[in-house]
Amino acid sequence: MKTFFKQLMKNVPSILILIVFIALTYNFFDAGFLWESGKEIWKKPSILFLILLAYLLSFVLKAIAWKVYLKGRPSFFSCLAGLFYSLFLNHILPVKAGDLARAGVLPARDQHISAEESLHSVFVLRVIDMLCLSGIALIGIFAFHIHYRIPFWALFFVLVISLIALQLLKNRFPIFVNRHVALLKNALSGTNGLQVFLLTLTSWILEAAVLYGTIFALNKEISLTAAVWTNSVTIAGQVFQITPGGIANYEAFMSFALGFIGFSFKEGYTIAILTHGIKFIFSYLAGFAAICIFPVPINVLKSWIRQKGVKGK
């Protein structure tokens, strides 16, 4: 019973988002409108091709950023295969377990990269992802004059808890923490850190092409900056994922974000479903490509997904 309530409290934000999604679906889902919008995109294959190409390039940049972070030691295709496995698994599993598989692919293909280095790099790059997405989202709040205020006490509370957690971790696992701090300093030294950050930031800007191209294909208008902001808010919301591919989270966050910049909820909800559908299709194609590049037995994948990281000594 205690475990049940612990899990329930952990998933409260996700459950609330799921309820919001159900409410949006009940009020704004229009099968006819969705079908006609989908046909409109399908009638413009050149735009659809450019959307998929831009989305692919965003992952190419993420793979390059990963390679740069590890000082060029892994091969580009190992990094890309890891990202594709991660994307695929995140779209078939109810939780974000893909990053664990991503960390497993690299040392399996490039055996001179240790499992600890790989897991460390995936964690740090995920933090950089969230910093980029959060930064874009915060800038957009001011740029689009969105009336939303984060209470100062909430920011202070998060800061204090984070500092306490870091100190406790350092006290409990000093060798582990010092080792990873050394890895971090080495990876981000000189211009290396700037390259990783710019590549990551550009990859998220490119991913916004999915939203921008979809809206353009529907003969509607959105600025590139608004598309980048909306995409960033939507992806940041996937941290609460409890469904394959973040179904519900994606649609809820994008519907509200598009609502802030002038779209109706019906339009925003429909656009969210269409763009998410495109990403699902791409994730399955990416998964097929990853299996071709580096086939992994099911039992090995399961072992990667179940791993809990490298314990400190």
Side-chain angles (χ1 to χ4, degrees):
M1 184 64 72
K2 185 178 178 181
T3 304
F4 170 77
F5 280 110
K6 189 176 180 180
Q7 284 295 112
L8 181 64
M9 291 305 296
K10 182 181 177 182
N11 292 322
V12 163
S14 303
I15 293 169
L16 291 175
I17 293 167
L18 186 59
I19 292 170
V20 170
F21 169 71
I22 292 170
L24 285 170
T25 303
Y26 179 78
N27 288 286
F28 302 108
F29 178 73
D30 185 330
F33 184 60
L34 177 63
W35 177 254
E36 290 302 319
S37 299
K39 284 201 302 183
E40 194 67 32
I41 297 173
W42 189 252
K43 287 189 294 186
K44 298 171 182 174
S46 58
I47 295 177
L48 185 57
F49 172 76
L50 290 174
I51 287 173
L52 293 172
L53 179 61
Y55 196 32
L56 172 62
L57 288 175
S58 75
F59 284 95
V60 168
L61 291 184
K62 285 183 176 69
I64 296 173
W66 194 6
K67 181 178 174 68
V68 170
Y69 184 84
L70 290 170
K71 297 296 183 75
R73 292 162 58 216
S75 74
F76 167 75
F77 284 107
S78 295
C79 294
L80 192 62
L83 283 164
F84 280 177
Y85 265 110
S86 175
L87 181 69
F88 176 62
L89 291 173
N90 283 339
H91 281 77
I92 62 173
L93 297 174
V95 292
K96 274 187 172 293
D99 284 337
L100 295 174
R102 171 183 172 183
V105 168
L106 200 57
R109 272 183 60 92
D110 294 358
Q111 296 179 4
H112 56 283
I113 306 290
S114 71
E116 184 174 17
E117 281 182 295
S118 181
L119 197 61
H120 161 89
S121 65
V122 170
F123 173 77
V124 172
L125 289 170
R126 271 305 190 188
V127 171
I128 293 174
D129 280 338
M130 289 308 298
L131 288 174
C132 289
L133 292 169
S134 301
I136 293 170
L138 188 61
I139 292 170
I141 287 174
F142 293 103
F144 299 117
H145 306 291
I146 295 170
H147 299 293
Y148 177 78
R149 185 183 174 191
I150 302 173
F152 172 77
W153 65 264
L155 293 175
F156 181 74
F157 178 76
V158 170
L159 177 63
V160 170
I161 293 298
S162 299
L163 290 174
I164 291 173
L166 286 172
Q167 189 60 48
L168 289 174
L169 183 65
K170 187 175 181 180
N171 292 341
R172 181 70 179 82
F173 305 110
I175 297 175
F176 172 80
V177 171
N178 291 335
R179 187 164 67 241
H180 282 272
V181 168
L183 285 172
L184 182 65
K185 286 181 178 178
N186 179 60
L188 299 180
S189 61
T191 60
N192 220 54
L194 180 61
Q195 289 180 60
V196 170
F197 178 79
L198 290 177
L199 284 164
T200 304
L201 180 63
T202 306
S203 75
W204 289 116
I205 293 172
L206 265 177
E207 181 168 332
V210 178
L211 175 61
Y212 183 83
T214 299
I215 292 175
F216 182 78
L218 294 174
N219 301 311
K220 299 184 183 298
E221 292 184 2
I222 187 172
S223 68
L224 182 57
T225 52
V228 170
W229 177 76
T230 301
N231 182 72
S232 298
V233 170
T234 303
I235 301 303
Q238 303 307 288
V239 71
F240 302 111
Q241 175 178 335
I242 58 170
T243 57
I247 294 172
N249 296 58
Y250 186 98
E251 286 75 13
F253 275 90
M254 182 168 283
S255 296
F256 278 96
L258 287 173
F260 277 124
I261 57 176
F263 286 82
S264 69
F265 272 117
K266 181 179 178 180
E267 289 175 326
Y269 178 84
T270 302
I271 290 168
I273 290 177
L274 291 171
T275 55
H276 209 187
I278 291 171
K279 290 183 177 183
F280 260 89
I281 292 169
F282 181 90
S283 72
Y284 296 142
L285 293 173
F288 177 75
I291 291 168
C292 291
I293 294 172
F294 182 52
V296 176
I298 294 296
N299 63 316
V300 176
L301 269 179
K302 286 181 178 179
S303 70
W304 287 342
I305 293 169
R306 291 190 186 117
Q307 69 179 323
K308 300 297 181 183
V310 181
K311 293 182 179 179
K313 296 180 180 179

